[in-house]
Amino acid sequence: MEKTSCADHRHNAAAQRLRFIPPSRAHLTCTLPVPFPDVLDQLTYATLDDCQQCRPALLDRVGDDARATLELVTWACFITSETYCGIPSELIAGNEASDAPFRASTTFRTLAQRYGALGRIKDTICIHCTAAQRREAADTAVTLVVGLSRWSTDFLYQ
């Protein structure tokens, strides 16, 4: 049996139950060059599908680009802020319960703190992160949005 790769299939928005507008349509921080809006959407849908073939490669692509990471993290912070009427302390201070099913990465915490304080994240902050830090933040962002889509406000407090 042949292994399928991301090139062999696409994750389809129509088949998904994403409760939020996809990142390509959010236009929250910057206009990304093609193909990044599609990459952000594909990452979101691959996460919804729990596709372990596509997700790592898509996270690598987003982590390699500071603007793509900024777009994804800002999108997640906006959705989170709208869901909880602000950024919950669990996403900034790391004071979630020891058995919490979701833990934000350190880089995401820093970016979410900036978003909570300013209502936006300065473009330059992602540029100074390493690709691994941006990948980690992107992973947290997309996992957070998918979790909120599936479980609503209960996601952080399960």
Side-chain angles (χ1 to χ4, degrees), residues 67-143:
R67 289 173 58 206
T69 304
L70 175 66
E71 185 79 10
L72 193 62
V73 171
T74 300
W75 175 67
C77 285
F78 175 79
I79 290 169
T80 302
S81 186
E82 291 292 306
T83 300
Y84 294 108
C85 297
I87 303 291
S89 62
E90 290 84 357
L91 295 178
I92 296 172
N95 60 352
E96 65 271 356
S98 61
D99 61 345
F102 176 79
R103 295 186 182 285
S105 71
T106 303
T107 305
F108 183 88
R109 288 182 199 289
T110 301
L111 297 172
Q113 184 176 28
R114 300 281 171 100
Y115 185 91
L118 304 173
R120 64 184 178 87
I121 303 167
K122 291 184 180 182
D123 293 358
T124 56
I125 194 165
C126 281
I127 293 169
H128 298 294
C129 294
T130 66
Q133 289 171 319
R134 288 191 299 264
R135 186 187 194 283
E136 208 174 71
D139 186 20
T140 298
V142 74
T143 301

Side-chain angles (χ1 to χ4, degrees), residues 27-85:
H27 305 295
L28 294 171
T29 59
C30 60
T31 304
L32 295 172
V34 173
F36 276 103
D38 183 54
V39 170
L40 297 179
D41 289 358
Q42 284 296 303
L43 174 58
T44 302
Y45 303 138
T47 301
L48 272 166
D49 285 345
D50 195 27
C51 180
Q52 296 306 311
Q53 295 168 354
C54 295
R55 202 164 181 280
L58 292 165
L59 279 169
D60 287 343
R61 287 191 66 192
V62 172
D64 284 341
D65 188 281
R67 289 173 58 206
T69 304
L70 175 66
E71 185 79 10
L72 193 62
V73 171
T74 300
W75 175 67
C77 285
F78 175 79
I79 290 169
T80 302
S81 186
E82 291 292 306
T83 300
Y84 294 108
C85 297

